[in-house]
Amino acid sequence: MSALGTGKEILAGWVVLGCLLVAAVLISLTVGQIMITPAELLRGLMTGTGPGSLTLRVLRGPSTMTAVGAGAVLGVSGTIFQILLRNPLAAPDVMGFMSGAGCAVVAGVAFGLLIPLPILAAIGGLVAAALVAGLSFHRGAKQSPLTLILVGIGIGFFASAVSSFLVIRMPPQEASDAQRWLAGSLSARNWGHVLQVFGLGALLFIVLALQVRAMALLELGDELAAGLGARVERARYGLICTGVLLAAVGVAVAGPVPFVAMMAGPLGMRIAGVKHPASRLTAAAIAGATITVFAEVISRSAIPGLQLPVGVMTGIMGAPYLLWLLWKEVEAGEV
Amino acid sequence: MKAAIELVLLFFVAIALTLVVGVRDAGISDVWNALFAFDASDPTHTVIRSVRMPRLVAGLIAGAGLGMAGTIMQAVTRNPLADPGLLGVNAGAAFAVVVGALITGYSDSGMMAALAFPGAAIASIAVFLVGGARSGSGSPIRLTLAGVAINALLLSLVSAIILSRAETLEIFRFWVTGSLAQANTRPLEAMFIALLIGAAIAAIIAPRIEALALGSSLARGLGTKPGAVQLSALLAIMLMTGAAVAVAGPIAFVGLVVPPLARRIGRHVLRSELVVSAILGGSVILLADTAGRLVVAPAEIRVGIMTALVGAPVFIFVVRRLKPGALT
């Protein structure tokens, strides 16, 4: 990366990144069918009464905070895979893990299983990841990241088709809700969702913090990492599991929102101008949260009186980024 | 020869099942009578004529169009993962029709469906440019990812437009995954003619596409202009894909599954491959549709979901067979 700066520039980068998130959250809380001024919000926060308080507690607060949490875990998850596979295209959304998680949740609802959504999502994500790893295995040949990504795309297609198949079996109202959720949706979130995504997310961030040293070593290459005392295979599987579980936590509260996981890492790294894995992951968490909150506010205020699923918005934002990424690589003659 | 007989047999089985199977039971004799000794007072005859016949025709147009378009795309790009659905050409056609209906406020059948053609053309040009096919450096993964991105973008926009018009879930599903359930409201005759023109163009340029596959300098020596051939191929793809989407919505994976089988049965002669892929594509769609009507009867699974359930594993199989070097 050429965008690396000096200490001062990096500090400025972090400030910009933080300000963007704060701005996004403020816009999300104030903009909507009824506009609420920041002053009213502050009054609501202090006194617990008035329109500001209602907005914070019930109307917009929970959705906004769920967006922050889901965006952060998805951003970190995407960055883990991007670092492990050394490829900006490697992300749990592109590689089908999130579709797998979504599929498991829909299956749980369709068959009336009494298993909490995060556990269903985790099972689905891990099964999808195992399938991707297993099916891209060639006897006697080293797995190429590109094969993994293509097989992952295939698993994603399959999981989405199974989800659509299961939705048909549901009663109409439930089917309509499930369809919306599968597009990635943050409407009608409550504080339970916020607590869930922040609680589980924090737990997994701690687990990830313990693995960051190994991750930095893996970045140097397998031989060098092994020489420096890392247990390469074990560290890699551990990180993959953490990444899949983080994605599952995001899916459980917001559905399989596309492209946040893929965009967050590169965006955060570019703005903050950092390179070390720990800083990249932190930047990705902030960037992912910012992207999701922005997408959430646009998706519910772009067309008056209508709430689009947030995933429609991240698709409209993320797909051009992917096209630009590919175009740049065509120009450079890479990939 | 044996394969050809099996193919024709499969085709007729698929047609027969489409007409016979459904919520209202009908035997082969009912179908025969409905077609040749029509009795307007018999509800079974009416269902066969007004519901199942359009469905059959739409399935054949969509299957033949997508199958042949896939075969031409794979031959031109020499990429076994090329499929009008996966590369976003279907989504381009659907997007254009939906936008046209949004701007003019008219319904999307009839003239509006003709917007599927420019939509398909623009999406194919975009995916080939981004995928690097023009510079000759197009790799399967880059083209596939460009398709994933264009698909995601256009389908997100289609969803946003349809949801903003408060249309029914049924219309939304038609333009996002494809279905034969609305066949009797689609412009079948016009799209059949478009399909025929596209197929004729494809058949005429087939030998030149084969010459191009030998390498562009050799092809020039044999009197083939690469640019003209690619442009004609684009025209054929546009007509065949546009017709398919106009009658059945964006159905993915048919153009992926059919061509490899067509190559075997057609013995690697592109013209025979085209004939085989038309018959095979039609059969695949009809069988998928019939299966979709049977598994959760009286509800039905849209044909686009059924093709994805079968097609996604095929996609993974094709990826696994790619040589590692072919990916980069």
Side-chain angles (χ1 to χ4, degrees), chain B residues 239-309:
Chain B
L239 285 167
M240 296 190 291
T241 311
V245 176
V247 299
I251 299 172
F253 292 105
V254 176
L256 177 87
V257 175
V258 166
L261 298 168
R263 271 196 290 279
R264 288 199 156 185
I265 303 173
R267 292 162 193 268
H268 298 271
V269 178
L270 193 50
R271 265 184 198 157
S272 347
E273 285 175 35
L274 281 170
V275 176
V276 176
S277 28
I279 299 174
L280 203 56
S283 314
V284 166
I285 290 236
L286 291 181
L287 289 174
D289 181 52
T290 307
R293 283 188 287 152
L294 281 177
V295 278
V296 290
E300 65 175 71
I301 308 241
R302 278 154 290 147
V303 64
I305 296 175
M306 296 304 290
T307 57
L309 282 173

Side-chain angles (χ1 to χ4, degrees), chain A residues 89 135 137-138 146-147 150 154 157-158 161-162 164-165 168 179 259 303 306 312 315-316 319 322 326-327 330 334, chain B residues 86 129-130 141-142 145-146 149 152-153 156-157 163-164 173 253 301-302 305 308-309 312 315-316 320 327-328:
Chain A
L89 300 169
L135 287 171
F137 183 76
H138 275 279
L146 297 177
T147 312
L150 273 182
F157 288 146
F158 188 68
V162 173
S164 312
F165 182 89
I168 305 282
Q179 191 103 40
F259 289 115
I303 304 164
L306 183 90
V312 167
I316 292 172
L322 177 53
L326 292 164
W327 180 257
V330 172
E334 285 168 19
Chain B
L86 299 184
L129 282 182
V130 177
I141 181 150
R142 195 187 297 151
L145 282 165
L153 178 63
S156 295
L157 290 169
L163 293 175
S164 74
R173 286 167 169 171
F253 292 105
I301 308 241
R302 278 154 290 147
I305 296 175
L309 282 173
F315 176 88
I316 295 169
R320 281 175 55 82
L327 284 173
T328 45

Side-chain angles (χ1 to χ4, degrees), chain A residues 259-284:
Chain A
F259 289 115
V260 173
M262 193 187 82
M263 284 189 288
L267 187 73
M269 186 164 71
R270 205 158 266 267
I271 296 178
V274 288
K275 196 175 182 186
H276 187 270
S279 320
R280 274 177 74 176
L281 292 167
T282 315

Side-chain angles (χ1 to χ4, degrees), chain B residues 22 33 57 69 80 93 97 102 153 208 230 246 248 267-268 271 281 301 311 325:
Chain B
N33 287 336
V57 175
V97 178
L102 173 77
L153 178 63
R208 309 223 166 89
Q230 279 163 353
R267 292 162 193 268
H268 298 271
R271 265 184 198 157
I301 308 241

Side-chain angles (χ1 to χ4, degrees), chain B residues 5-324:
Chain B
I5 294 169
E6 283 170 2
L7 183 67
V8 172
L9 213 62
L10 178 80
F11 185 59
F12 282 113
V13 168
I15 290 178
L17 282 175
T18 301
L19 293 175
V20 169
V21 171
V23 178
R24 178 178 285 276
D25 274 324
I28 291 283
S29 60
D30 289 324
V31 171
W32 183 268
N33 287 336
L35 297 182
F36 300 107
F38 181 62
D39 173 7
S41 64
D42 185 339
T44 310
H45 286 195
T46 318
V47 165
I48 289 170
R49 275 222 170 178
S50 62
V51 178
R52 293 193 197 158
M53 277 307 284
R55 202 163 181 136
L56 171 75
V57 175
L60 289 177
I61 293 174
L66 294 172
M68 288 192 285
T71 295
I72 291 288
M73 282 176 122
Q74 297 199 0
V76 172
T77 60
R78 270 163 280 159
N79 174 356
L81 293 177
D83 162 61
L86 299 184
L87 293 192
V89 182
N90 282 350
F95 174 69
V97 178
V98 170
V99 168
L102 173 77
I103 292 172
T104 60
Y106 290 117
S107 83
D108 58 47
S109 33
M111 287 304 290
M112 206 57 66
L115 284 174
F117 300 118
I122 292 169
S124 7
I125 293 170
V127 76
F128 285 129
L129 282 182
V130 177
R134 194 177 54 98
S135 52
S137 59
S139 68
I141 181 150
R142 195 187 297 151
L143 207 55
T144 308
L145 282 165
V148 166
I150 288 181
N151 250 324
L153 178 63
L154 293 174
L155 289 182
S156 295
L157 290 169
V158 167
S159 314
I161 291 171
I162 293 181
L163 293 175
S164 74
R165 289 192 355 143
E167 306 260 31
T168 60
L169 204 54
E170 218 35 58
I171 291 179
F172 173 77
R173 286 167 169 171
F174 179 84
W175 288 114
V176 174
T177 33
S179 161
L180 296 182
Q182 278 96 332
N184 44 13
T185 68
R186 310 303 307 165
L188 296 178
E189 294 87 356
M191 292 305 151
F192 180 66
I193 294 168
L195 173 71
L196 283 185
I197 299 172
I201 296 172
I204 291 168
I205 59 167
R208 309 223 166 89
I209 293 176
E210 286 171 315
L212 267 189
L214 301 172
S216 46
S217 54
L218 192 52
R220 269 199 204 88
L222 293 167
T224 301
K225 291 181 192 133
V229 173
Q230 279 163 353
L231 210 61
S232 321
L234 184 70
L235 190 66
I237 291 168
M238 171 189 103
L239 285 167
M240 296 190 291
T241 311
V245 176
V247 299
I251 299 172
F253 292 105
V254 176
L256 177 87
V257 175
V258 166
L261 298 168
R263 271 196 290 279
R264 288 199 156 185
I265 303 173
R267 292 162 193 268
H268 298 271
V269 178
L270 193 50
R271 265 184 198 157
S272 347
E273 285 175 35
L274 281 170
V275 176
V276 176
S277 28
I279 299 174
L280 203 56
S283 314
V284 166
I285 290 236
L286 291 181
L287 289 174
D289 181 52
T290 307
R293 283 188 287 152
L294 281 177
V295 278
V296 290
E300 65 175 71
I301 308 241
R302 278 154 290 147
V303 64
I305 296 175
M306 296 304 290
T307 57
L309 282 173
V310 180
V314 173
F315 176 88
I316 295 169
F317 178 75
V318 175
V319 169
R320 281 175 55 82
R321 289 214 333 185
L322 290 174
K323 290 185 193 77

Side-chain angles (χ1 to χ4, degrees), chain A residues 298-311:
Chain A
I298 298 172
S299 68
R300 71 178 150 75
S301 43
I303 304 164
L306 183 90
Q307 184 146 25
L308 291 173
V310 66

Side-chain angles (χ1 to χ4, degrees), chain A residues 12-29:
Chain A
W14 284 112
V15 171
V16 171
L17 208 53
C19 287
L20 280 175
L21 177 58
V22 172
V25 169
L26 269 182
I27 292 173
S28 169
L29 289 173

